[in-house]
Amino acid sequence: DVKVTQSSRYLVKRTGEKVFLECVQDMDHENMFWYRQDPGLGLRLIYFSYDVKMKEKGDIPEGYSVSREKKERFSLILESASTNQTSMYLCASSLIRQSEAFFGQGTRLTVV
Amino acid sequence: GESVGLHLPTLSVQEGDNSIINCAYSNSASDYFIWYKQESGKGPQFIIDIRSNMDKRQGQRVTVLLNKTVKHLSLQIAATQPGDSAVYFCAENIAQGGSEKLVFGKGTKLTVNP
């Protein structure tokens, strides 16, 4: 089975801190994605990557950056956390184009 | 811009009834669609997908219908069970840059009453 693992289930950070959310997949997938999920807004795409060191902005990239140094790992970085970044963050990966994406369990981040 | 939305944010059905969850999309270039189920405290899980060259696809107890003319997608669940209670999302696949991205709708919460 495909496994997408996010490093933390729950995280509390202070405003202004630099925050790293890590995601690892074990199936050699090409594509990886970061979404945030908020009540009533569904899943919104922050960034995605289709190859090592490649990245594309999603629909809401402001305040975030990403890193993909290795194929299996895709990191989401909040350069200076703010309270409006309190959310559930979901990582996903997919093998090829037009294929299903597999999701991790999510990281619930609270910025205080 | 592209958008994927749902007509109803909540749906309540009786156990054993059939459920229909609807989704509208706006990008006529979208070529692949997926339905996901998300249970409380978990990440979304794949249910069924359909490519734009099809108008119907069936799985176990689930059927997805695609109407490209009106840009509408639906998920039908037969003989709905309490374990089907969850939030359901549709997603459309859109080309961007050198790859593709999945854009999700806001979700429909399905509640199955015993």
Side-chain angles (χ1 to χ4, degrees), chain A residues 20-103:
Chain A
F20 292 86
L21 302 183
E22 306 287 348
C23 176
V24 177
Q25 48 93 3
D26 64 359
M27 285 300 291
D28 202 34
H29 282 179
E30 304 293 334
N31 306 314
M32 295 189 76
F33 308 84
W34 274 107
Y35 292 87
R36 64 176 283 176
Q37 183 174 20
D38 301 288
L41 297 178
L43 280 74
R44 292 181 292 166
L45 182 62
I46 304 171
Y47 267 97
F48 63 107
S49 167
Y50 54 91
D51 201 354
V52 176
K53 296 190 187 295
M54 303 301 290
K55 60 183 179 184
E56 288 277 349
K57 290 181 179 180
D59 300 315
I60 52 164
E62 296 78 18
Y64 304 94
S65 62
V66 290
S67 172
R68 194 163 181 204
E69 296 297 318
K70 293 184 178 181
K71 191 175 185 180
E72 67 270 19
R73 186 180 296 271
F74 192 35
S75 303
L76 179 70
I77 303 157
L78 285 66
E79 297 290 343
S80 177
S82 62
T83 54
N84 63 12
Q85 292 178 309
T86 291
S87 186
M88 170 68 83
Y89 289 87
L90 289 161
C91 175
S93 71
S94 66
L95 177 60
I96 56 174
R97 298 185 180 197
Q98 292 193 2
S99 64
E100 66 178 284
F102 294 85
F103 282 83

Side-chain angles (χ1 to χ4, degrees), chain B residues 5-104:
Chain B
L6 292 164
H7 296 310
L8 294 172
T10 61
L11 179 64
S12 184
V13 300
Q14 291 299 122
E15 182 177 358
D17 286 353
N18 297 333
S19 303
I20 300 176
I21 301 171
N22 296 303
C23 177
Y25 65 95
S26 62
N27 193 323
S28 57
S30 298
D31 56 5
Y32 176 63
F33 304 86
I34 307 177
W35 280 100
Y36 282 91
K37 173 186 180 183
Q38 186 177 28
E39 297 173 284
S40 181
K42 297 183 179 180
Q45 291 180 296
F46 172 88
I47 301 173
I48 192 168
D49 58 1
I50 188 167
R51 301 190 190 286
S52 58
N53 61 352
M54 303 170 70
D55 54 20
K56 181 178 180 179
R57 190 160 189 227
Q58 287 185 291
Q60 188 176 13
R61 282 201 307 118
V62 294
T63 301
V64 55
L65 299 177
L66 175 62
N67 185 330
K68 293 181 288 293
T69 302
V70 296
K71 289 183 280 190
H72 184 267
L73 194 67
S74 68
L75 176 71
Q76 300 178 1
I77 305 173
T80 314
Q81 302 168 0
D84 294 327
S85 293
V87 177
Y88 290 80
F89 294 95
C90 65
E92 61 178 318
N93 192 64
I94 301 171
Q96 177 174 319
S99 187
E100 299 165 335
K101 63 180 183 180
L102 275 178
V103 175
F104 282 77

